[in-house]
Amino acid sequence: MIWLYIALVFVVAAAAAWMFRFILVSALPRQGSLLMSSMPLTASFGLLMILCYVVLAVFSPVFAPYGEAEVFDKFNALPGDDPRFLLGTDQIGRDLLTRLIYGGRNTIGIAFVTTVLAFLLGAMMGFLAATVGGWLDQLLSRTVDALMAIPQLIFALLLITIFGQSTINMILVIAVLDSTRVFRLARAVAVNIVVMDYIEAAQLRGERLPYLIFREILPNATAPLIAEFGLRFCFVFLLIASLSFLGLGIQPPLADWGTMVRDLSQFINFASFDLLIASLPLMPAGAIALLTVSVNFVVDWMLHKSSGLKE
Amino acid sequence: MSLVAKRLALGAVTLFVVSLIIFGAVELLPGDFAEEILGQGATPEAVAAIRQELGLDRTPVTRYFDWLGSAVQGDFGVSFGNQRSVAEQLAPRFGNTLFLALVAACIAVPLALVIGVLAALYRNSIFDKVANMTTLTSISSPEFFVAYILILFLAVMNPVFPSLSNISSDLDFWTRLDRTMLPALTLTLVVTAHMMRMTRAAIINLLASPYIEMARLKGVSPARVIVRHALPNALAPIINVIALNLAYLITGVVVVEVVFVYPGVGQLFVDSVKIRDIPIVQACCLIFAATYILLNLTADVLSIITNPRLRHPK
Amino acid sequence: MTDQELLIKIRGLKIEGRSEDTWNEIVHGVDLDLHRGEVMGLIGESGAGKSTIGLAAMGFTRDGCRISDGTIEFDGIDLRNASAGVKRGLLGKRIAYVAQSAAASFNPAHRLIDQHTEAPMIHGVSSTKESQEDAMALYERLRLPDPENIGFRYPHQVSGGQLQRAMTAMAMSCRPDLIIFDEPTTALDVTTQIEVLAAIRDIVEQFNTAAIYITHDLAVVAQMADTIKVLLKGDEVEAADTRTMLSAPKEDYTKSLWAVRSFSPPPKPPVPSGETPVISVNNVSAAYGVVPVLFDVNFNIYRGRTVAVVGESGSGKSTTARCITGLLPPTKGQILADGEPLPANYRKRNREQLRQAQMIYQMADTALNPKVRISEIIGRPVQFYTGLTGNDRRKRVEALLEQIELDPADYYNRLPTELSGGQKQRIGIARALAAEPKFIICDEVTSALDQLVAEGILKLLDKLQRDLDLAYMFITHDLATVRSIADEVVVMKQGKVVEQGEKEQMFQPPHHPYTDLLLSSVPEMDPDWLTNLLKERGVENLGDAAAARI
């Protein structure tokens, strides 16, 4: 029975991915269409899902039946109790479907902002270290080594203890910690570019640092950096969800998926009576998983393409 | 051998720097520890008393070396929350966490290596593609999602294992194993995926070496190519993969312990963060970071030792 | 030789290679006959498919390649349809392979001798003990130093030239009927190459082994092969025995390959006395960190003239260039431009000083930013140094493109990835010219190019020199290039100048012993060259040279 469901979901997903790819291939101009036709179904599925999430996040107010923090007099309603609340309500009477949709918007939005911050900081420092070299490179690299010697979640928890639990603190803490990973990659990529003769030619011409970084290095680093952005986003997204799940991440009244999983977790024990109720905590958790899987599928394809592996 | 010594020295320096970071970070605390503890009812006298009691009136350098000195001897001070010794609270939990990690590692390591090597040998086959998709999915899922799925199927719908891990020291090994099984399986799923992908990449990289082609061109059978030509060179990368993933277990353990209410260091850590019980948070951080650093250190040292170029210097 | 028994018979061989998801044919129906004891040279430029064909003669294709058509027979056995087991029985035992990079092709985890005895052991040819003794005998025969013990070392403990000979010994371990040599000396310096070539030829003759010798170097193949097959882009151009091929090539392509070495521009007038050199290197010493790499180097370069700096890898020729450009400030000595001292570090030089000295690089692929269009690659230095913008800048770039013989209308907006190797090198030249310099450093500018293309570049450089009165410092290890383009020669070895002077005088004896070794080691087209050289040096002498190298 359960296998039948899984097979069904799999077939539907594959069909949707195939259709989406077909539409892309026929709608895009020649070059894009060529690129898309070589795309595996997994990547096409990932792209489709990312698109859905983005639409849902941007237009949350349109999709959500009620306001984000709107409280009703009916609390702890189960799905099916009240036709007004498709998925029921929580302890203080907020519609769960609404919370789920806004939760996506908040979790994705915050993760995105955090990743962008981490990238700006990490990539800038990484390029600088690679281009300038010498003591600056040593200083930055050794600092990053020290920061990376502590597991990220553990370090994040320590810093949150110190700076206090708030959404802004969490964003800053994770952005700084994650920028160490971006730094490593950006520096490694840039170091490989800096040894190229065209950089030497530009240096010998007398070009200044900004020209070197933005005009010579950056255009050659975009492909690996975009792929890395996908991976880092997944990581940050999962980290934020985990922190929220632990009660130390995104703070109420903002809705978010990690917190929802924790708040709804006891419903899992209802599984023998009603699968829909039991799956309440699984919905936000699954939504997190689905987005990260999708991004990973797309990144996997991009990495495979750019590496030019012939295997 | 001087390389090994160098790496060990670097490890010691790293440990020292990390302890400095963990201690120093607390110094960044806005305001004062003492005011923090007393909260609203802070009178100047009470604050002064607490400062005296915690030794906050001494310089940070003295306090750091005091703290580090006692920490090395296993004394992490006294908890703010319940005034009990930190070491006393940590000790049994550390054993529990270690047990959980060991069970997970015992399942994950052999499983990941076997699947990884198979996927590399039969790359681009259906098996490889399915393994690739499954592991990608499993890496992408948050630990708590995997955990609840397992609870749903293995505890609630088919009660095979208990969904809560009631561990105490008086349990016999099998009961304990039974109660640890679900958290261990959760960790296994996540870690196996990482480890399998890395193993696969390492083996594929290795099989592309010219000396493997040379062996084939000498008429060496496929089995012998693997055993005699690939394996001796694969040790270092595989050791690295294992150590990296065992280190990854550390992060995973925190969330998983919370889901299953498993009485380990991770759960204590999270609870202490919530009430800002700084001595415990520091101690947990130090333990996790030290384990992480030691694992990485072991991996590096082992891969130096297994590298023939370094083992037989010119 | 032709009446002997046929060992390899290939008919209509077609091979496809995969790029992205499509299969493209890279070898288009090649025939090949090889008799017992015959050595055939497969020669061609990169992309000619010579390695692919060589491997196919063993019934083997690399990942991403497949044989799509044709037959391959080895001694009557159909290799294309043979089972894996049958092929394994032949490989190593009756057909052996010597790879281009011995350093990468020996397994780092095992000792040389254990890898040597593996094939005899698995094929049941001889016991490990016998095969070890045989290995030592072969090592001795191949003039490896300390043949009793060298086999007990690990690959990384042995030098490149020695490894290449150890690999030849390994190929001989089962006394195969056929050995495929895949560019075995390409990665070696000329003086080391001689030893390996002599060793290979000697042992192949002794055991009457048939061989396919793959190389891109005509002079090398002339020494080694009985017959030569010329390949171009997966097709056979011409095949004949070596002497016929060298003396009377039939096809235009083959003739052009032979002709490359004949480019010799008219000599230039001597330097007027009292002229200030454009660049003068004065007592320059340099070090990487604490390791000294350059010792007291002195030479002058005058307007309109070319100084060739010659030496093997590690001789310090590129380091000298780095000192001149200011990338590596010398620890001692000075660089003078037009008689004025230049700041040691390029960061301290002003724009005018930087403009005067430009550089052209060896690898055109890494010398041009792949993401920047030609218009910007050349336009940026134009704007940077001359201040031209907008339409003026465009006109100047187009004029430069015409100067390097590329059509501006076609090339102005291209990316480097849309150019061939020779075109890229031309863009590199245009970028240097954009600065309107007096002096250009050419760092091995032709060594990564196929010979025909290289000749075009040399001609262009010569023409530009005469038109613009440029001074060149020409770094190279290829003496044929030196012969055609240099006015003066500086010979370097281990960071020191061993000899310098006018070209004519340098190519006339008497030489410094090292110059002599270098000059005499460059293979010549004459098929008797190696034989004569060995006679001249005395075989014992060669063995000593090998022993002295450890």
Side-chain angles (χ1 to χ4, degrees), chain C residues 499 505-506 508-512:
Chain C
E499 200 175 3
Q505 159 202 339
M506 291 293 290
Q508 304 286 331
H511 308 291
H512 180 276

Coordinates of all heavy atoms in Angstrom, one line a residue, chain C residues 499 505-506 508-512:
Chain C
E499 N 77.5 30.4 -21.3 CA 78.1 30.9 -22.5 C 77.2 31.9 -23.1 O 76.0 31.8 -23.1 CB 78.4 29.7 -23.5 CG 79.5 30.1 -24.5 CD 79.8 28.9 -25.4 OE1 79.2 27.9 -25.2 OE2 80.7 29.1 -26.2
Q505 N 78.6 32.7 -34.0 CA 79.8 32.2 -33.2 C 79.4 31.1 -32.3 O 80.1 30.2 -32.0 CB 80.3 33.5 -32.5 CG 81.2 33.3 -31.3 CD 81.1 34.6 -30.4 OE1 80.8 35.7 -30.9 NE2 81.5 34.4 -29.2
M506 N 78.1 31.2 -31.7 CA 77.7 30.2 -30.8 C 77.5 28.8 -31.5 O 77.6 27.8 -30.9 CB 76.3 30.6 -30.2 CG 76.4 31.7 -29.3 SD 77.3 31.3 -27.8 CE 76.2 30.2 -27.0
Q508 N 79.2 27.7 -33.9 CA 80.5 27.2 -34.4 C 81.3 26.6 -33.2 O 81.3 27.3 -32.2 CB 81.3 28.3 -35.0 CG 80.6 29.1 -36.1 CD 80.6 28.3 -37.4 OE1 81.4 27.4 -37.6 NE2 79.5 28.5 -38.2
P509 N 81.9 25.5 -33.4 CA 82.8 25.0 -32.3 C 84.0 26.0 -32.2 O 84.3 26.7 -33.2 CB 83.2 23.6 -32.7 CG 82.6 23.4 -34.0 CD 81.8 24.6 -34.5
P510 N 84.8 26.1 -31.1 CA 84.6 25.3 -29.9 C 83.5 25.9 -29.0 O 83.4 27.1 -29.0 CB 85.9 25.3 -29.3 CG 86.5 26.7 -29.7 CD 85.9 27.0 -31.0
H511 N 82.8 25.0 -28.3 CA 81.8 25.4 -27.3 C 82.3 25.2 -25.9 O 83.2 24.3 -25.7 CB 80.5 24.6 -27.5 CG 80.0 24.6 -28.9 ND1 79.5 25.7 -29.5 CD2 79.9 23.6 -29.8 CE1 79.1 25.4 -30.7 NE2 79.4 24.1 -30.9
H512 N 81.5 25.8 -25.0 CA 81.6 25.3 -23.6 C 81.0 23.9 -23.6 O 80.1 23.6 -24.4 CB 80.7 26.3 -22.8 CG 80.6 26.0 -21.4 ND1 79.7 25.0 -20.9 CD2 81.3 26.5 -20.3 CE1 79.9 25.0 -19.5 NE2 80.8 25.8 -19.2

